[in-house]
């Protein structure tokens, strides 16, 4: 779906899936300037996490366990910087904290 918005507009993207054992939903950004997928954040069960480079700019919410739905909120578009393709993905991924390092391990 293409969404056309102007600077300072707000946007909400929705994502859902039906795989019972996948309780994590991740959001990625792919811009024309940098075609690598950048992880924006994810919701694991009902716990949202936003990556440091997107904190204060984007929000993630939803419930990956019960209703299998996640939302990406962009409260104030910055213009060309936020012009991108946004992807969501569902996963069985688990997060482990090992001596102050966080490893994201998609299975």
């Amino acid at each position: 779906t293409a969404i056309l918005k102007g600077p300072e507009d707000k946007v909400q993207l929705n994502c859902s899936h039906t795989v019972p054992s996948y309780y994590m939903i991740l959001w990625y950004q792919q811009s024309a300037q940098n075609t690598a997928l950048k992880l924006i954040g994810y919701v694991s069960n009902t716990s949202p996490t936003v990556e440091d480079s997107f904190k204060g700019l984007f929000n993630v919410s939803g419930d990956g366990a019960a209703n299998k739905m996640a939302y990406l909120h962009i409260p104030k578009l910055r213009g060309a910087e936020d012009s991108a393709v946004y992807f969501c993905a569902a996963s069985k991924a688990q997060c482990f904290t090992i001596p102050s390092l966080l490893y994201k391990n998609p299975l």
Side-chain angles (χ1 to χ4, degrees):
T1 302
I3 298 174
L4 299 175
K5 294 280 189 172
E8 305 206 6
D9 284 350
K10 65 179 178 180
V11 174
Q12 176 178 295
L13 302 178
N14 307 326
C15 179
S16 64
H17 71 89
T18 58
V19 182
S21 60
Y22 286 20
Y23 58 86
M24 180 176 271
I25 302 175
L26 306 98
W27 285 100
Y28 294 92
Q29 180 191 64
Q30 184 180 45
S31 65
Q33 298 80 18
N34 181 0
T35 57
L37 290 178
K38 292 195 290 190
L39 179 63
I40 298 167
Y42 56 91
V43 101
S44 179
N45 292 310
T46 57
S47 178
T49 299
V50 176
E51 296 296 297
D52 288 344
S53 58
F54 290 98
K55 278 188 178 162
L57 303 170
F58 294 13
N59 297 307
V60 173
S61 65
D63 186 342
N67 66 12
K68 309 289 187 197
M69 184 74 112
Y71 308 94
L72 176 65
H73 311 272
I74 309 172
K76 190 175 183 180
L77 287 171
R78 297 172 293 164
E81 297 167 82
D82 295 330
S83 181
V85 177
Y86 293 88
F87 295 92
C88 72
S91 175
K92 282 186 181 180
Q94 297 178 355
C95 292
F96 302 96
T97 303
I98 301 173
S100 79
L101 298 175
L102 183 65
Y103 292 91
K104 295 182 188 84
N105 179 23
L107 301 175

